[in-house]
């Protein structure tokens, strides 16, 4: 992925060293202030330098970055952890490189054959390219226009990351609609070997992650993981589809029962004939098969009937 991001190459030094120099400078300000009129003038001048130098301190924790901007010009990004002092006239935009979760509410979409379904996803994302994140999308304006307890027009890490999260949320919605339209909900209306939303598993999830990475590349955002975590028919067709699934289950169960019953009847007839228990002609075999199939395939227990006459009466 092509990037314009580069590490900050400007002057930086240890923040602890600059704290020591600030203490020395403050002591010099106090000493000069007691030396007369010219000392007071020099003291005020040094105090202004001391005050400006205070804005050069910056501290970075692991997986944090500071984008350096010098009067509108990009000067690189500082990712090295520690306590530093840099040019106080450089604007420092702090960003978090840590992974974040996004779990939006399920949305209603149409699958490949037009059935309305509810589908939701959960994804893990993080910043990968700070230059694209800051300058390729209008995240700074969104973050500055977001109100907080103080007002608007201020920059903070939380507001900036919320702006990125809003961008990911919108793009994930569009990507999810696209992926859901490529597959059917299940295999009821397509061939059994075709991939569906229910049976696709990792294939559908990988397709979703690839589509999200394509859409978010321009923002310097990387999708670490994306998975469908909710899938159901829309309420307006859920009842009908439930009855269809119940009917399919009943038919499948009946087929299994009939298959087993026929096998059992055949085994019984073969056993009677092999062991020469009783001699059965065609009519007796037909009656026996009929009775056994009724007993084995019926939903309720069979009710015995005693025949006091002959078999043919």
């Amino acid at each position: 992925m092509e990037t314009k991001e580069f590490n900050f190459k400007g002057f930086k030094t240890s923040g602890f060293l600059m704290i020591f120099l600030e203490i020395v400078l403050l002591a010099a300000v106090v000493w000069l202030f007691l030396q007369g009129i010219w000392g007071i003038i020099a003291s005020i001048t040094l105090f202004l330098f001391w005050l400006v130098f205070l804005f050069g301190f910056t501290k970075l924790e692991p997986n944090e970055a500071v984008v350096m901007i010098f009067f509108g010009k990009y000067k690189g990004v500082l990712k090295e952890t520690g306590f530093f002092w840099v040019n106080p006239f450089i604007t420092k935009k702090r960003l978090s490189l840590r992974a974040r979760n996004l779990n939006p509410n399920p949305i209603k979409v149409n699958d490949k054959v037009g059935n309305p379904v509810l589908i939701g996803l959960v994804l893990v994302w993080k910043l990968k390219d700070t230059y694209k994140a800051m300058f390729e999308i209008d995240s700074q304006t969104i973050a500055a226009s977001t109100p907080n307890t103080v007002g608007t027009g201020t920059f903070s890490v939380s507001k900036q990351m919320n702006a990125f999260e809003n961008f990911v949320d919108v793009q994930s919605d569009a990507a999810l609609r696209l992926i859901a339209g490529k597959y059917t909900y299940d295999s009821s209306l397509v061939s059994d070997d075709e991939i569906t939303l229910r049976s696709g598993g990792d294939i559908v999830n990988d397709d979703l992650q690839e589509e999200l990475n394509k859409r978010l590349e321009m923002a310097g955002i990387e999708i670490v993981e994306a998975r469908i975590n909710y899938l159901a028919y829309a309420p307006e067709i859920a009842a009908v589809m439930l009855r269809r699934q119940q009917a399919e289950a009943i038919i499948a169960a009946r087929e299994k029962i009939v298959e087993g019953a026929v096998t059992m009847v055949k085994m019984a007839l073969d056993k009677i004939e092999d062991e020469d228990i009783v001699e059965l002609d065609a009519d007796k075999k037909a009656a026996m098969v009929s009775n056994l199939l009724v007993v084995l395939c019926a939903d309720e227990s069979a009710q015995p009937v005693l025949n006091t006459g002959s078999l043919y009466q």
Side-chain angles (χ1 to χ4, degrees):
M1 182 170 65
E2 184 181 355
T3 178
K4 297 180 181 179
E5 178 188 273
F6 58 87
N7 292 328
F8 177 66
K9 299 178 182 178
F11 175 78
K12 75 174 187 295
T13 187
S14 171
F16 299 103
L17 175 61
M18 288 304 299
I19 288 179
F20 175 76
L21 293 178
E22 283 278 84
I23 294 174
V24 172
L25 188 60
L26 185 60
V29 168
V30 175
W31 181 80
L32 287 173
F33 189 80
L34 302 175
Q35 303 305 311
I37 185 63
W38 293 108
I40 293 175
I41 295 174
S43 174
I44 294 174
T45 303
L46 285 179
F47 179 77
L48 292 176
F49 279 102
W50 177 86
L51 193 61
V52 170
F53 289 165
L54 284 178
F55 294 94
F57 292 101
T58 185
K59 175 176 66 71
L60 272 80
E61 298 178 358
N63 283 325
E64 281 190 343
V66 176
V67 177
M68 303 295 189
I69 305 172
F70 185 67
F71 292 104
K73 186 175 182 180
Y74 175 68
K75 288 296 183 180
V77 60
L78 182 62
K79 296 182 179 179
E80 185 180 351
T81 59
F83 184 47
F84 305 100
W85 186 91
V86 296
N87 186 342
F89 294 101
I90 289 181
T91 302
K92 296 175 281 293
K93 303 285 189 178
R94 188 179 299 271
L95 298 173
S96 174
L97 303 180
R98 301 182 178 102
R100 297 168 69 96
N101 277 325
L102 182 64
N103 186 18
N105 294 325
I107 59 175
K108 183 188 294 186
V109 300
N110 292 329
D111 66 2
K112 184 178 180 180
V113 295
N115 290 326
V117 298
L118 293 176
I119 186 170
L121 84 165
V122 59
L123 55 88
V124 181
W125 65 276
K126 64 179 181 178
L127 290 183
K128 186 175 182 180
D129 190 322
T130 58
Y131 181 89
K132 289 184 176 181
M134 291 297 295
F135 304 114
E136 296 292 342
I137 62 174
D138 196 14
S139 59
Q140 297 185 71
T141 303
I142 298 173
S145 62
T146 304
N148 57 12
T149 55
V150 178
T152 60
T154 59
F155 181 94
S156 67
V157 180
S158 61
K159 291 168 65 175
Q160 183 69 54
M161 298 308 296
N162 287 338
F164 294 140
E165 185 169 298
N166 181 68
F167 187 87
V168 174
D169 190 14
V170 174
Q171 293 300 320
S172 65
D173 185 284
L176 187 59
R177 291 180 185 276
L178 177 64
I179 296 302
K182 293 171 60 176
Y183 304 98
T184 58
Y185 179 87
D186 54 24
S187 59
S188 59
L189 299 178
V190 294
S191 59
D192 293 336
D193 58 349
E194 185 171 334
I195 298 173
T196 65
L197 293 174
R198 288 186 61 187
S199 64
D202 292 338
I203 297 177
V204 177
N205 292 329
D206 292 343
D207 197 5
L208 176 62
Q209 183 173 342
E210 182 180 355
E211 179 64 26
L212 281 167
N213 277 321
K214 288 180 181 179
R215 291 173 175 269
L216 297 174
E217 180 181 356
M218 63 176 294
I221 296 173
E222 178 188 15
I223 298 298
V224 179
E225 182 183 17
R227 292 190 173 276
I228 294 176
N229 69 335
Y230 184 88
L231 184 64
Y233 279 114
E236 55 266 28
I237 67 168
V240 176
M241 291 302 176
L242 179 60
R243 288 199 295 270
R244 179 180 63 80
Q245 291 174 354
Q246 290 174 341
E248 290 177 351
I250 292 173
I251 292 173
R254 287 292 183 184
E255 290 177 351
K256 198 69 175 177
I257 291 173
V258 171
E259 181 182 354
V262 171
T263 302
M264 293 173 66
V265 170
K266 184 177 183 301
M267 290 175 59
L269 292 175
D270 292 342
K271 192 74 172 177
I272 291 174
E273 185 175 353
D274 292 342
E275 297 187 5
D276 198 18
I277 298 175
V278 64
E279 185 177 350
L280 298 175
D281 58 18
D283 292 334
K284 293 180 181 180
K285 287 182 179 180
M288 182 177 178
V289 169
S290 176
N291 292 335
L292 286 176
L293 288 177
V294 170
V295 172
L296 295 174
C297 296
D299 288 333
E300 299 179 356
S301 300
Q303 300 294 327
V305 176
L306 295 179
N307 184 6
T308 57
S310 66
L311 180 63
Y312 302 101
Q313 293 180 350

